[in-house]
Amino acid sequence: MKFMLMMHAPRGEGDWAVSKWPAEDLEAHIAFMRRLNKELTDAGELAGAEGLAGPAQAKIVRAGKGGAPEVTDGPFPEAKEFLAGYWIVDCESEERAYHIAARASAAPGPGGTPLKIPIEVREVMSAPAAEM
Amino acid sequence: MNLTGENLLRELAPQVLGAVIRRFGDFSAAEDAVQEALLAAAMQWPEEGVPDNPRGWLIHVAARRMTDHIRAELARRRRETIVMMQAPPDQQVSPAPDSGVATDQDDTLILLFMCCHPALTRPSAIALTLRAAGGLTTAEIGNAFLVPEATMAQRISRAKQRIKSSGVPFRMPSDRERAERLSAVLHVLYLIFNEGYASSIGPNLQRSDLANEAIRLTRAVHNLLPDEGEVAGLLALMLLTDARRAARTDPDGALIPLDQQDRTLWDRNAISEGIELISATLSKGSIGAYQLQAAIAAVHDEAARAEDTDWPQILALYGLLKRMSDNPMVALNHAIAAAMVHGPPAGLELLKALDTDGRLAGHYRLDAVRAHLLEMAGDREAAIAHYRGAAQETKSIPERDYLMTKAARLAASPP
C-alpha cells in the first residue's frame, strides 16, 4: 500500500520559520530528517521523497489565450502553513503509515522539543486488482 | 584481455553498435538489437566463459536479432517495400561487420558524435549517450536522473527517432563540422559528470555512477584523440574534481565546503594523474576553457592545507577564463578569487557587475557568494540576510541545509 505523507510547515517571517532557529537546533532538525529518510530507505519502504522550493517561488498557472500559460504570483489561499515536502511510503498497512507520519511529526524544533508538525496522510490510488 | 566482464561489455558496446549500424543502417533497431546481445552475453559468459572473439560473438548475435527484427517487419508490412537503409546509396556498400577493418575505435567516436548531435535536446543527448555509448540500462539511467523508467525509455526512443528523421549518416563529421561537433560531445560528457558530482535535484548530493561513467567515456575519447587539448583538459578537470569526492560530505550527507574538507581523504592517484595530464597539455599550445578549469582545480588540489592555496595564480587563471567565456558563473568565481587576493571589498565590487547582468538574478549562488564575502568583511547582519536569501533560492536540499546552518551559526556568534 502506498501513502503520501505531506508535511505542512508553519510559515515564519519569510518562508521558513526554521531559518531563525538557533544553529544547534537547526542542525539537530536536519540530522533527524536525514536519519528518518535513511531508516525508511533501509526498511525498503521509501518510494520517493522530495522537498519543495519555498512558497515565495510558487506560481499559479491557468490556460490563457489559445491555451498559452498565464502565470501569476497568486492568489494563494490564506494559510498559516505551506506544503514543504512529501514522502511516498510503500508499506504494509495504514497503521504503519500513521506510525511513520508520527515519527516525522516529532522532528525536533527549538530547544529540541518535538515540533508535532501536522502530517497529512493520503493513500495513493493504485492499479486495478489483477484478474486471476 | 584483463578486463572484467562488465567493463569488457561496456568497452565493446559502442564498437558492436557501430558495426551493426554500418551494416543495417537503422540506428534505432540496431541499438535495441545490441542491447539484447549485451544482455545475452551478461547471462551466458559468466556461465560458459568469454568467447575467443567477444566482439565477433556480440556482432553475430546482434545481427541475428536484427535479421529477426527485419523478418518480423517484413511480415507485418507484407506488401510494402521496406527501405532498410537509412544511409545514402553511396554508403550502402559497406564492409562485412566483422571483417576487422580498422574502424572499431572510430565507431566509438562516431557513435558519440551521433548521440550528441546538435539536433537533439540536451536531456535527450545525455540519455542517449549513456545508453548507446555508456551501455547503461534504461532503468539505471532513469534512476540516476530520478525519473521513472518508462519516462526515460520514451526519452531515449524519441531521441533515436530524431536521429533517424534527421538523416545524419553514420560517419565521421566533415573537417568543417568537426570542431563544433566535438565541443558538443565534450559538453554532454561534462553535463553527465556534473549531474553525477553535484546533483542539482533531490536529496542525493552525489550520484557517483554518473561521474564514473563520464570519466570512463572521456578517457575513451582522450585515448582516441590524444592531441586534442580540450579533451585532455576535460578529463583532467573531471579527475581533479572527482578526487575530492570522499571529502565533500560528512557521514550524514551534509555538504563540506572546499576550505573545510579533510584533504587526507582526497584521492592522490586521481590528483597525480590529473596534474600530469593538464601539465602535459598546457605545454602544447592552444588553451581552452576546460584546460583552464582543470588548471584551477589542480592549484586547489596541490595545496596541502586550505591556507596554502595559491590564490594569486587562481585569480590569474579566472581572469583568462573570464576573457575567454562570457559565463556569469566564471565571473562569480573570479570575484571570490579577487576577494582572497585583494580582500573582500574587491570581490564585492566585482559582484556589482553581476547584479546588472540579469542572468544570475534570483540565482542562489550570487547570494551565497555575496554572503560569504560579507562575512569575510565582517558585515555580520548583511551576511546572515544573504545566506538566508540564498537558502530560499536554492533547489538543492543539501545546499539549503548548509546555507541555513551557516546563517544560524553566524547569528549565534558573538558580534
Side-chain angles (χ1 to χ4, degrees):
Chain A
M1 298 169 82
K2 281 195 181 137
F3 294 88
M4 189 183 231
L5 277 45
M6 289 174 266
M7 186 169 89
H8 297 283
R11 270 181 191 271
E13 292 168 57
D15 283 347
W16 307 96
V18 290
S19 65
K20 295 284 196 294
W21 292 359
E24 59 273 19
D25 294 342
L26 178 64
E27 286 170 56
H29 177 83
I30 292 168
F32 174 92
M33 286 299 183
R34 279 210 191 94
R35 264 201 316 276
L36 178 63
N37 282 352
K38 189 171 180 320
E39 277 172 33
L40 293 173
T41 306
D42 293 347
E45 291 173 310
L46 189 69
E50 300 288 357
L52 304 180
Q57 300 180 46
K59 298 278 186 256
I60 294 286
V61 181
R62 285 192 181 78
K65 271 206 184 86
E70 207 169 76
V71 184
T72 54
D73 284 336
F76 295 100
E78 281 296 318
K80 290 196 173 60
E81 275 126 7
F82 66 93
L83 181 63
Y86 65 85
W87 294 265
I88 293 181
V89 293
D90 192 352
C91 54
E92 59 188 31
S93 65
E94 200 168 49
E95 286 68 34
R96 173 62 190 155
Y98 293 158
H99 185 83
I100 296 168
R103 285 261 296 126
S105 170
T113 317
L115 283 168
K116 302 199 171 165
I117 314 167
I119 308 282
E120 186 179 345
V121 180
R122 308 265 299 269
E123 186 163 358
V124 177
M125 301 225 264
S126 58
E131 288 172 27
M132 295 309 274
Chain B
M1 284 277 184
N2 54 355
L3 288 163
T4 62
E6 192 180 346
N7 282 342
L8 175 64
L9 286 179
R10 288 200 172 174
E11 209 63 42
L12 290 172
Q15 300 174 22
V16 172
L17 181 53
V20 177
I21 297 173
R22 200 179 292 287
R23 177 165 163 192
F24 293 93
D26 183 338
F27 178 87
S28 180
E31 213 276 322
D32 289 333
V34 170
Q35 284 289 335
E36 287 181 45
L38 290 169
L39 198 62
M43 311 279 278
Q44 288 175 38
W45 293 2
E47 299 282 317
E48 300 160 19
V50 178
D52 294 340
N53 175 359
R55 186 172 160 268
W57 189 97
L58 287 165
I59 291 172
H60 180 74
V61 172
R64 212 170 45 207
R65 295 287 150 92
M66 276 302 275
T67 318
D68 292 348
H69 165 79
I70 293 161
R71 280 206 199 97
E73 281 284 285
L74 281 168
R76 203 166 58 82
R77 322 187 211 166
R78 255 194 313 270
R79 288 185 307 279
E80 288 179 36
T81 315
I82 297 187
V83 183
M84 266 310 297
M85 303 297 288
Q86 302 294 324
D90 65 318
Q91 287 189 66
Q92 292 199 8
V93 183
S94 51
D98 205 15
S99 63
V101 280
T103 57
D104 318 349
Q105 299 297 308
D106 291 350
D107 279 347
T108 303
L109 260 185
I110 298 176
L111 194 65
L112 279 169
F113 279 124
M114 200 153 186
C115 294
C116 304
H117 194 273
L120 297 173
T121 63
R122 276 193 198 132
S124 299
I126 288 171
L128 198 58
T129 299
L130 287 170
R131 159 102 189 211
L136 268 69
T137 65
T138 308
E140 283 170 331
I141 303 167
N143 269 338
F145 288 89
L146 311 177
V147 300
E149 186 180 350
T151 307
M152 194 45 88
Q154 203 50 33
R155 194 179 289 177
I156 290 167
S157 126
R158 289 174 64 149
K160 291 199 289 193
Q161 283 307 320
R162 182 88 219 209
I163 285 189
K164 195 169 175 173
S165 61
S166 68
V168 187
F170 187 74
R171 62 174 167 213
M172 279 290 184
S174 65
D175 287 348
R176 194 172 44 82
E177 281 189 305
R178 197 169 162 286
E180 186 196 340
R181 295 286 300 277
L182 181 60
S183 90
V185 170
L186 294 183
H187 188 63
V188 167
L189 294 174
Y190 175 78
L191 289 174
I192 292 173
F193 176 81
N194 244 350
E195 185 70 35
Y197 186 71
S199 157
S200 52
I201 42 168
N204 308 332
L205 192 69
Q206 302 187 30
R207 286 182 304 208
S208 45
D209 44 354
L210 285 178
N212 290 340
E213 194 56 32
I215 290 173
R216 203 184 63 80
L217 288 169
T218 309
R219 201 186 283 283
V221 178
H222 172 63
N223 289 339
L224 295 168
L225 303 171
D227 297 331
E228 288 283 353
E230 279 295 82
V231 179
L234 179 59
L235 179 56
L237 173 62
M238 288 178 181
L239 290 166
L240 292 163
T241 308
D242 195 56
R244 307 178 203 137
R245 191 192 293 179
R248 284 186 80 224
T249 48
D250 73 6
D252 283 341
L255 202 56
I256 303 174
L258 186 58
D259 61 339
Q260 289 161 40
Q261 288 174 15
D262 173 357
R263 299 185 174 217
T264 60
L265 296 174
W266 289 0
D267 178 346
R268 289 287 136 203
N269 292 339
I271 292 174
S272 315
E273 190 190 353
I275 289 177
E276 208 168 303
L277 198 57
I278 191 60
S279 309
T281 308
L282 288 174
S283 61
K284 280 184 191 164
S286 83
I287 291 180
Y290 290 123
Q291 292 164 74
L292 284 172
Q293 290 176 74
I296 292 164
V299 176
H300 278 299
D301 288 0
E302 278 167 337
R305 299 172 309 163
E307 53 270 43
D308 301 334
T309 307
D310 185 349
W311 283 105
Q313 188 170 341
I314 290 178
L315 179 62
L317 288 164
Y318 271 122
L320 287 173
L321 195 54
K322 202 170 157 180
R323 276 205 288 278
M324 196 177 287
S325 78
D326 176 36
N327 179 335
M329 287 297 174
V330 170
L332 209 51
N333 289 321
H334 182 249
I336 297 175
M340 297 305 286
V341 176
H342 303 300
L348 288 163
E349 190 55 39
L350 284 167
L351 290 186
K352 283 183 187 162
L354 287 168
D355 289 334
T356 50
D357 176 303
R359 282 177 299 171
L360 284 182
H363 194 289
Y364 85 95
R365 281 276 299 159
L366 182 54
D367 261 325
V369 168
R370 178 165 276 130
H372 178 65
L373 299 190
L374 287 164
E375 185 186 357
M376 274 171 72
D379 189 344
R380 196 163 142 266
E381 288 310 311
I384 292 169
H386 284 285
Y387 277 128
R388 283 182 182 155
Q392 291 201 26
E393 287 159 352
T394 181
K395 304 289 191 291
S396 150
I397 290 176
E399 289 275 9
R400 188 190 65 198
D401 290 348
Y402 168 77
L403 292 161
M404 285 208 304
T405 307
K406 206 66 198 153
R409 282 190 193 161
L410 208 51
S413 67

